[in-house]
Amino acid sequence: MAQRLTSADIKGLFEKCNNWGKWGKDDQRGALNYITEKQVARASKLVQTGETASCALPLPVTPAPDNPTPVTHLMVQSGHDAHHTPLPYSGDYFAISFHGMATTHIDALCHVFWEKKMYNGFDASEVGSHGARKCPIDVTRTGIVSRGVLLDIPKLKKVDWLEKGEAIFPEDLDAAEKDHKVHVEEGDVLLVRTGRAANRKAKGGWDPAEGLPGLDASCLKWLHERKIAVLGSDAVSDVMPSGYEGLMLPVHVGTLVMQGIHLIDNGDFDSLSEKAKKHSRYEFMFTMAPLILERGTGSPVNPIAIF
Amino acid sequence: MAQRLTSADIKGLFEKCNNWGKWGKDDQRGALNYITEKQVARASKLVQTGETASCALPLPVTPAPDNPTPVTHLMVQSGHDAHHTPLPYSGDYFAISFHGMATTHIDALCHVFWEKKMYNGFDASEVGSHGARKCPIDVTRTGIVSRGVLLDIPKLKKVDWLEKGEAIFPEDLDAAEKDHKVHVEEGDVLLVRTGRAANRKAKGGWDPAEGLPGLDASCLKWLHERKIAVLGSDAVSDVMPSGYEGLMLPVHVGTLVMQGIHLIDNGDFDSLSEKAKKHSRYEFMFTMAPLILERGTGSPVNPIAIF
Amino acid sequence: MAQRLTSADIKGLFEKCNNWGKWGKDDQRGALNYITEKQVARASKLVQTGETASCALPLPVTPAPDNPTPVTHLMVQSGHDAHHTPLPYSGDYFAISFHGMATTHIDALCHVFWEKKMYNGFDASEVGSHGARKCPIDVTRTGIVSRGVLLDIPKLKKVDWLEKGEAIFPEDLDAAEKDHKVHVEEGDVLLVRTGRAANRKAKGGWDPAEGLPGLDASCLKWLHERKIAVLGSDAVSDVMPSGYEGLMLPVHVGTLVMQGIHLIDNGDFDSLSEKAKKHSRYEFMFTMAPLILERGTGSPVNPIAIF
Amino acid sequence: MAQRLTSADIKGLFEKCNNWGKWGKDDQRGALNYITEKQVARASKLVQTGETASCALPLPVTPAPDNPTPVTHLMVQSGHDAHHTPLPYSGDYFAISFHGMATTHIDALCHVFWEKKMYNGFDASEVGSHGARKCPIDVTRTGIVSRGVLLDIPKLKKVDWLEKGEAIFPEDLDAAEKDHKVHVEEGDVLLVRTGRAANRKAKGGWDPAEGLPGLDASCLKWLHERKIAVLGSDAVSDVMPSGYEGLMLPVHVGTLVMQGIHLIDNGDFDSLSEKAKKHSRYEFMFTMAPLILERGTGSPVNPIAIF
């Protein structure tokens, strides 16, 4: 196991592994800039069988320990009453506060602040009661298409899932690459599986206040070196608790704020894991299209891996 | 111009151009069955430059003539107050009744009924106050990836947009194919552009009660013969008014109910049109991932075309 | 303690203590008909000191064991951003599904069914996806003003609150009247205190699945004889579990459906109890004005007692 | 007609007719302090016949020129599906942004700011993304009960309603008092009828951007002298446009911010007007119980007048 760093060390990584200004002082897209058109075209070449896997949980409409404010899903019209209208139809309505712990969503770069700043130094006050004037989710309006890479830590560790509070260190990422015969590169969408979704299905999951498995903040250096475009997790990327006093979600801060890396939280990589295992192939074409919520701080998403 | 049919003729097409039972009496996926894994793999081969285009409007948060019940978009926390919390963050909330006339969305097969039945003969009463027990949108949970084809009718007709109430006939579809040097085939996602999104941007759009451009119901036979998987429009596929007495949205009925073809309503194909024109290429890789709203009647979507 | 009845006995009370047809076959107001203008004027004469007490809990915005789907309360505009608008203002939004276990609300007569019927024999199907065509809450649009009477069972029993699952029997109601020197009469709004609100404040309350204190269904006869207009509780009137096999909320059925008595659920009578005790007076002027939600099944309310 | 004042004059009234500090520097209730218990008891003595009148419009669920963002009203469960559940019931849900132009609501003192301050000098930033820390609506949790007085300006002017943009001056208020044989006094809830609700019913109402009838800002002095507790209108109290350059809603500012007078907007005083006329009596017992929305900026209400 790695020598644990201190909170001061992690704050040092915030300074060192930092992309502010890298793509200009007005840039609001951050590490998405790593995804060039060439990268998209290259990703399409990975498709072989045409199998697709969803990387998302269903929208969580039922209260659960990790879902205190579920999605409201109601009908505007059902099939019973439909016949009183000129064109019989059914329709529904949903209301969602998607930055929960049970909704698969993408975090925009405006979602988290460090010392009152967001990515590229924009001020937190740019996010007001009418939404985000800087770094909103609609910077992704043409979609995120790139090479996806899965690092399946439970497979590496030969367990069903990591336990709550169990941390993943840089050497685990290295070991997973070796095991999976894949190498994370510039512009990749990196999905790190902890098995939390499997635990949720089998055991009902954890109240996040009790902890979640995820990356130790020492991984920030690794992520920065590899120049990934997007980071995804079936938990919330950060191991919880973080293990660093005074730092609640240091991977969130280090990626969203410092490196401009959009995050996918609460994915479900179980089906993806099965397909990867079946084909012994941990790279695939990845596509995701956040809703165009102008000034939004993120979006629920259903990311798709194509093999 | 085509010889117009009668309402009785269109009802005849409902009978003749019908896929009930074609994929088994329990099938809930309809024409999505045309999309095989081979089809997905074939679609990926269309990618050349790696350019992507969104086919969606932004979520419509402002009332408009075609948007009487806009999306509610509110903040759960803004950047001003963020600093009172252990991890400063911003977050938002939205509430949406997406089957409107200004939200880019997919219609599930349970969305429309004809004589109290939905696709494959399932009863309308299967859609109750807790949602759809048959043909919900979550049949698309692994995404819709296939060859996309754009038929750009304003380009064909050398106009900026079709006028409200202006109908597109089968011979227009044939002419567009010829003009675009493309042929619609089994499993394709067919996007028919009317220019309505362009009109909306330039003129504010029409109240749908006044009419919208779209397909004449006589196109149902054409669509059935070509075995498309999904039909998309920048209006609502149907020309409005339909021109057939007693038939309000006959293309909706003929596709969703009779042929099991999912529909994309209120897309924005303007950027797509530009890219297609630039590359003289009207086929592309198409990806769309509806949210996994179990028992839902559809989903807001952001379909992506990859060139 | 009373001889417990059987489920069959309670069903017998549904038949015997029944007001269907009493005010005409089209009546949708039920026992509100007991409140005459004379009754209102009489109630106003009860006011002596001018003290007022709210009988409501605050709208419950936080998840709790008895509140799995809390009220959504969000800001439309805060004070921070207000200064960018011509008239600086703040405003908010709330979304509520009020028939929960932690919102003080009134149940309309359409809220509960017995053998597919609501009050006065109207069919359950009159409540469709566009709301209630019969017995909606807007029958109370001019407010409910009458004599209020508090029966404070914890005071009677010299406890802080009744325990979950603890039943109140007709002889308890009689004893409370005797203790309080008050007699429940035609047209009264009867509030029965169990102390649940006090328990909630002190202990966090119970998950209703574990039980709640309330009236045993044998009280239905008593309620019918006294001709009360409205019944209110700081729990949900019914003791839970009911103690009668196959009958989930028999007081709800026996009052709303059979007698046409509107119910107030989840009130907070603690402040009322204090004032009643202070003045040794358990009758007061009662006023309540449900929101005019046409076709609604009830409304959140803030009932006011005036001493 | 009165000599019109200038914007500078009105700003002078903001200074002169001002209650900041009057009830202590921490006071958050403003002119509600005028309503003593004695006042409540006195009000109850006004009840003679026991007739009640609602002063509210139904919750506005349909888009209209003065209602671009209507209340969302949906069913949680209808009568059709009720029979699949252990206790068959129906229930609904509503979502409301109540500070619109068609919802009868009360404005809390935190609703409007002047020079970044609210009533009693509290800073606008006290209203953040979690609501109002100062002057929220829950200061009214025990209800507002007092003498109500109606000044029925259309009756005075012998018209069905005032026209949009038509202003009411202090001498009109004096004339209405004389006509109605009533005198507005300390602690009263003053309801000023413009007939807008009648116009809405007959003609569909006005888009507020076109104007609304209401009080000229010169009335601020009159209101201050009379020491009213609450001001209500069937429009929004302010005449629109205000007629004073640079002052958008000066009556809102002068009452809410300067005098601490809560406002009732968008009432419906038509039924009240009829009863007042019938009884030749323009004073009555007034009761209103805002929902206890902690940190809220107001509440939808259904105020009740009792004759």
Side-chain angles (χ1 to χ4, degrees):
Chain A
M1 196 182 114
Q3 172 67 47
R4 281 279 198 140
L5 305 184
T6 65
S7 293
D9 293 332
I10 300 303
K11 288 179 190 173
L13 291 180
F14 291 171
E15 298 290 319
K16 269 200 313 201
C17 303
N18 187 298
N19 294 331
W20 293 16
K22 183 183 176 93
W23 294 284
K25 70 178 177 42
D26 296 328
D27 176 59
Q28 300 180 46
R29 293 174 47 84
L32 293 178
N33 286 295
Y34 286 131
I35 306 179
T36 60
E37 291 179 0
K38 200 171 148 193
Q39 183 84 359
V40 176
R42 188 174 71 108
S44 73
K45 301 306 168 242
L46 298 171
V47 177
Q48 297 177 8
T49 67
E51 285 164 271
T52 61
S54 166
C55 301
L57 297 166
L59 291 184
V61 298
T62 311
D66 59 5
N67 188 32
T69 53
V71 172
T72 300
H73 181 209
L74 297 166
M75 299 304 286
V76 169
Q77 187 162 275
S78 77
H80 294 283
D81 297 272
H83 310 294
H84 304 291
T85 57
L87 179 75
Y89 74 91
S90 69
D92 47 9
Y93 163 98
F94 66 94
I96 184 169
S97 179
F98 50 81
H99 287 296
M101 291 295 199
T103 303
T104 306
H105 67 269
I106 181 172
D107 287 341
L109 299 183
C110 62
H111 173 52
V112 164
F113 310 111
W114 179 255
E115 295 177 347
K116 306 201 180 186
K117 299 291 179 193
M118 67 179 104
Y119 166 71
N120 222 0
F122 295 116
D123 200 81
S125 65
E126 294 284 356
V127 187
S129 47
H130 299 277
R133 285 180 293 266
K134 294 292 176 189
C135 299
I137 194 55
D138 56 282
V139 301
T140 67
R141 67 173 65 206
T142 56
I144 295 173
V145 180
S146 193
R147 185 173 82 136
V149 171
L150 172 68
L151 295 185
D152 189 343
I153 310 302
K155 175 184 181 287
L156 175 74
K157 304 216 167 183
K158 299 186 170 53
V159 294
D160 288 333
W161 50 73
L162 304 194
E163 291 301 329
K164 58 186 177 183
E166 189 171 351
I168 299 164
F169 292 94
E171 52 271 38
D172 297 317
L173 300 178
D174 288 328
E177 281 188 313
K178 198 169 167 190
D179 176 84
H180 300 358
K181 298 184 175 56
V182 73
H183 194 260
V184 175
E185 287 167 21
E186 181 172 329
D188 284 350
V189 174
L190 171 61
L191 307 179
V192 180
R193 183 169 178 266
T194 69
R196 178 218 182 189
N199 173 277
R200 268 190 120 236
K201 287 165 214 163
K203 305 277 185 177
W206 304 286
D207 179 343
E210 298 172 14
L212 285 177
L215 298 176
D216 183 84
S218 58
C219 295
L220 286 169
K221 187 155 173 286
W222 195 99
L223 299 172
H224 190 245
E225 285 167 358
R226 297 305 182 87
K227 300 186 177 174
I228 60 167
V230 174
L231 176 64
S233 171
D234 53 357
V236 296
S237 286
D238 272 280
V239 65
M240 291 177 69
S242 75
Y244 298 100
E245 207 184 318
L247 292 175
M248 196 169 164
L249 290 173
V251 176
H252 268 64
V253 174
T255 51
L256 287 167
V257 182
M258 302 305 169
Q259 301 186 36
I261 296 173
H262 285 77
L263 297 180
I264 304 166
D265 286 342
N266 312 310
D268 176 349
F269 306 153
D270 293 353
S271 164
L272 179 65
S273 165
E274 282 168 32
K275 285 194 194 299
K277 198 170 171 186
K278 174 176 123 188
H279 294 296
S280 296
R281 190 151 64 85
Y282 287 80
E283 60 169 6
F284 40 84
M285 184 180 188
F286 175 91
T287 73
M288 177 169 67
L291 297 173
I292 308 174
L293 182 59
E294 290 175 330
R295 300 194 155 201
T297 69
S299 173
V301 287
N302 182 6
I304 302 293
I306 314 174
F307 278 85
Chain B
M1 193 181 112
Q3 172 67 46
R4 281 275 197 143
L5 305 183
T6 66
S7 291
D9 294 332
I10 299 303
K11 288 178 189 175
L13 290 179
F14 291 171
E15 297 290 319
K16 269 199 314 200
C17 302
N18 188 299
N19 294 332
W20 292 16
K22 182 182 177 97
W23 295 283
K25 71 178 175 45
D26 296 328
D27 177 60
Q28 300 180 45
R29 291 175 46 83
L32 293 178
N33 286 294
Y34 286 131
I35 306 179
T36 59
E37 291 179 359
K38 201 171 146 191
Q39 184 83 2
V40 176
R42 189 173 69 108
S44 72
K45 302 304 169 250
L46 297 172
V47 177
Q48 296 178 6
T49 66
E51 285 165 88
T52 60
S54 166
C55 301
L57 297 167
L59 290 184
V61 298
T62 311
D66 59 5
N67 188 32
T69 53
V71 172
T72 300
H73 181 210
L74 298 167
M75 299 305 284
V76 169
Q77 188 162 276
S78 76
H80 294 284
D81 297 272
H83 311 292
H84 305 291
T85 58
L87 180 73
Y89 74 92
S90 69
D92 47 10
Y93 163 99
F94 66 94
I96 185 169
S97 179
F98 50 81
H99 287 296
M101 291 295 199
T103 303
T104 306
H105 67 270
I106 181 172
D107 287 341
L109 299 183
C110 64
H111 173 53
V112 163
F113 311 112
W114 178 254
E115 295 177 348
K116 304 199 181 187
K117 300 291 180 194
M118 66 180 103
Y119 167 70
N120 222 1
F122 294 115
D123 201 80
S125 65
E126 295 283 356
V127 187
S129 45
H130 299 278
R133 284 179 295 266
K134 295 290 175 189
C135 299
I137 194 56
D138 56 283
V139 302
T140 67
R141 68 173 64 204
T142 57
I144 296 174
V145 180
S146 193
R147 185 174 81 136
V149 173
L150 172 68
L151 295 185
D152 189 342
I153 310 302
K155 175 184 182 284
L156 174 74
K157 304 219 167 181
K158 300 185 170 54
V159 295
D160 288 332
W161 50 73
L162 303 194
E163 292 300 329
K164 56 186 176 182
E166 188 171 350
I168 299 164
F169 292 94
E171 52 271 37
D172 297 318
L173 300 177
D174 288 329
E177 280 187 314
K178 200 168 164 191
D179 176 83
H180 300 356
K181 298 185 175 54
V182 73
H183 193 259
V184 175
E185 287 166 21
E186 182 171 329
D188 283 351
V189 173
L190 171 60
L191 307 179
V192 180
R193 182 169 179 267
T194 69
R196 178 218 182 189
N199 173 278
R200 269 189 119 238
K201 288 165 214 162
K203 305 275 186 177
W206 304 285
D207 179 343
E210 297 171 16
L212 285 177
L215 298 176
D216 183 83
S218 57
C219 295
L220 286 169
K221 187 156 173 285
W222 195 99
L223 299 172
H224 191 244
E225 285 168 357
R226 297 305 181 87
K227 300 185 176 174
I228 60 166
V230 174
L231 176 65
S233 171
D234 53 357
V236 296
S237 286
D238 273 280
V239 66
M240 292 178 67
S242 76
Y244 298 99
E245 206 182 320
L247 292 175
M248 195 168 164
L249 289 173
V251 175
H252 268 64
V253 174
T255 51
L256 286 167
V257 182
M258 301 306 167
Q259 301 186 36
I261 295 172
H262 286 77
L263 297 179
I264 303 165
D265 286 341
N266 312 310
D268 176 348
F269 305 153
D270 293 353
S271 163
L272 179 64
S273 165
E274 281 169 32
K275 286 195 192 300
K277 198 171 172 187
K278 172 175 125 188
H279 294 295
S280 297
R281 188 150 66 84
Y282 287 81
E283 60 169 7
F284 40 84
M285 184 181 190
F286 175 92
T287 73
M288 176 168 68
L291 297 173
I292 308 175
L293 183 58
E294 290 175 330
R295 300 194 155 201
T297 69
S299 172
V301 287
N302 182 6
I304 302 291
I306 315 174
F307 279 84
Chain C
M1 195 181 115
Q3 172 67 45
R4 281 277 199 143
L5 305 183
T6 65
S7 291
D9 294 331
I10 300 303
K11 288 179 189 173
L13 291 180
F14 291 172
E15 296 291 318
K16 268 199 314 201
C17 302
N18 188 299
N19 294 331
W20 292 17
K22 182 182 177 94
W23 295 282
K25 71 177 178 42
D26 296 329
D27 176 59
Q28 300 180 46
R29 292 174 47 84
L32 293 178
N33 286 294
Y34 286 132
I35 306 179
T36 59
E37 292 179 0
K38 201 172 146 191
Q39 184 84 2
V40 175
R42 190 173 69 108
S44 73
K45 302 305 168 247
L46 298 171
V47 177
Q48 296 179 6
T49 66
E51 284 165 89
T52 60
S54 166
C55 301
L57 297 167
L59 290 184
V61 298
T62 310
D66 59 5
N67 188 31
T69 53
V71 171
T72 300
H73 182 209
L74 298 167
M75 298 306 284
V76 170
Q77 188 163 276
S78 77
H80 294 285
D81 298 272
H83 311 292
H84 304 291
T85 58
L87 179 73
Y89 73 92
S90 69
D92 47 9
Y93 163 98
F94 66 94
I96 185 168
S97 179
F98 50 81
H99 287 296
M101 291 296 199
T103 303
T104 306
H105 68 270
I106 181 172
D107 287 342
L109 299 183
C110 62
H111 172 52
V112 164
F113 311 111
W114 179 255
E115 294 177 348
K116 306 200 180 186
K117 300 291 180 193
M118 67 180 103
Y119 167 71
N120 222 359
F122 294 116
D123 201 81
S125 65
E126 295 283 356
V127 187
S129 45
H130 299 278
R133 285 179 294 266
K134 295 290 176 190
C135 299
I137 195 55
D138 56 283
V139 303
T140 67
R141 69 172 65 205
T142 56
I144 295 174
V145 180
S146 194
R147 185 174 81 135
V149 172
L150 172 68
L151 294 185
D152 189 341
I153 309 302
K155 174 183 182 287
L156 174 74
K157 305 219 167 182
K158 299 184 169 52
V159 295
D160 287 334
W161 49 75
L162 304 194
E163 291 301 328
K164 57 185 176 183
E166 188 171 350
I168 299 163
F169 293 94
E171 51 273 36
D172 297 318
L173 300 178
D174 288 328
E177 281 187 314
K178 200 169 162 189
D179 176 83
H180 300 358
K181 299 185 175 52
V182 73
H183 193 260
V184 175
E185 287 166 21
E186 182 171 329
D188 283 351
V189 173
L190 171 61
L191 307 179
V192 180
R193 181 166 179 267
T194 69
R196 178 221 183 186
N199 173 278
R200 271 190 118 235
K201 287 164 215 163
K203 304 277 186 177
W206 304 287
D207 179 343
E210 298 172 14
L212 285 178
L215 299 176
D216 183 84
S218 58
C219 295
L220 287 169
K221 189 156 171 285
W222 195 100
L223 299 171
H224 191 243
E225 285 167 358
R226 296 305 181 89
K227 300 186 176 174
I228 60 166
V230 174
L231 177 63
S233 171
D234 53 356
V236 296
S237 284
D238 273 280
V239 65
M240 292 178 67
S242 76
Y244 298 100
E245 206 184 319
L247 292 176
M248 197 168 165
L249 289 172
V251 175
H252 268 64
V253 174
T255 51
L256 287 167
V257 182
M258 301 307 168
Q259 301 186 36
I261 295 173
H262 285 78
L263 297 180
I264 303 166
D265 286 342
N266 312 310
D268 177 348
F269 306 153
D270 293 353
S271 164
L272 178 64
S273 166
E274 282 168 32
K275 286 194 193 300
K277 198 170 170 187
K278 173 175 124 188
H279 294 294
S280 296
R281 188 150 64 86
Y282 287 80
E283 60 170 6
F284 39 83
M285 184 180 188
F286 175 91
T287 73
M288 177 168 67
L291 297 174
I292 307 175
L293 182 59
E294 290 175 329
R295 300 195 155 201
T297 69
S299 172
V301 286
N302 182 7
I304 302 291
I306 314 175
F307 279 84
Chain D
M1 194 181 113
Q3 172 67 44
R4 282 279 199 143
L5 306 182
T6 65
S7 292
D9 294 332
I10 300 302
K11 288 178 191 174
L13 291 180
F14 291 172
E15 298 289 320
K16 269 200 312 201
C17 303
N18 188 299
N19 294 331
W20 293 17
K22 183 183 177 93
W23 294 285
K25 70 178 177 42
D26 296 328
D27 177 61
Q28 301 181 45
R29 293 175 47 83
L32 294 179
N33 286 295
Y34 286 132
I35 306 180
T36 60
E37 291 180 1
K38 199 171 147 193
Q39 183 84 1
V40 175
R42 189 173 69 107
S44 72
K45 301 307 168 240
L46 297 172
V47 177
Q48 297 178 7
T49 66
E51 285 164 89
T52 60
S54 166
C55 302
L57 297 167
L59 291 184
V61 298
T62 311
D66 59 6
N67 188 31
T69 52
V71 172
T72 300
H73 181 209
L74 297 167
M75 299 305 285
V76 169
Q77 188 163 276
S78 77
H80 294 284
D81 297 270
H83 310 293
H84 304 291
T85 57
L87 179 75
Y89 74 91
S90 68
D92 47 10
Y93 163 99
F94 66 93
I96 185 169
S97 180
F98 51 83
H99 287 297
M101 291 295 199
T103 303
T104 306
H105 68 270
I106 181 172
D107 288 341
L109 299 184
C110 63
H111 172 53
V112 163
F113 310 112
W114 179 256
E115 295 177 348
K116 305 200 180 187
K117 299 292 179 193
M118 66 180 104
Y119 167 69
N120 221 1
F122 294 116
D123 201 81
S125 65
E126 294 284 355
V127 187
S129 46
H130 300 277
R133 284 179 295 266
K134 295 291 176 189
C135 299
I137 195 55
D138 57 283
V139 301
T140 67
R141 68 173 65 206
T142 56
I144 295 173
V145 180
S146 194
R147 185 173 80 137
V149 171
L150 173 67
L151 295 185
D152 189 343
I153 310 302
K155 175 182 181 289
L156 174 75
K157 304 217 167 182
K158 299 185 169 55
V159 294
D160 288 333
W161 51 72
L162 303 195
E163 292 301 329
K164 58 185 177 184
E166 189 172 349
I168 299 164
F169 293 93
E171 52 271 37
D172 297 318
L173 300 177
D174 288 328
E177 282 187 313
K178 198 168 166 192
D179 176 83
H180 300 357
K181 299 184 175 51
V182 72
H183 193 260
V184 175
E185 288 167 19
E186 181 171 330
D188 284 350
V189 173
L190 171 62
L191 307 179
V192 180
R193 183 170 177 265
T194 69
R196 179 221 182 185
N199 173 277
R200 267 191 120 237
K201 288 164 214 164
K203 305 276 186 178
W206 305 285
D207 179 343
E210 298 172 14
L212 284 177
L215 299 177
D216 183 83
S218 58
C219 296
L220 286 169
K221 188 155 172 286
W222 195 99
L223 299 171
H224 191 243
E225 286 166 357
R226 296 307 181 88
K227 300 186 177 175
I228 61 167
V230 174
L231 176 64
S233 171
D234 53 357
V236 295
S237 286
D238 272 281
V239 66
M240 293 177 67
S242 76
Y244 297 100
E245 207 183 318
L247 292 176
M248 196 170 166
L249 290 173
V251 175
H252 269 64
V253 174
T255 51
L256 287 167
V257 181
M258 302 307 168
Q259 301 186 36
I261 295 173
H262 285 78
L263 297 180
I264 303 166
D265 286 342
N266 313 308
D268 177 348
F269 305 153
D270 293 353
S271 165
L272 179 64
S273 165
E274 281 168 33
K275 286 195 194 298
K277 197 171 172 187
K278 174 176 123 188
H279 294 295
S280 295
R281 190 150 64 86
Y282 287 81
E283 60 169 7
F284 40 83
M285 184 180 188
F286 175 91
T287 73
M288 177 169 67
L291 297 173
I292 308 175
L293 183 58
E294 290 175 329
R295 300 196 155 200
T297 69
S299 172
V301 286
N302 182 6
I304 302 291
I306 314 174
F307 279 85

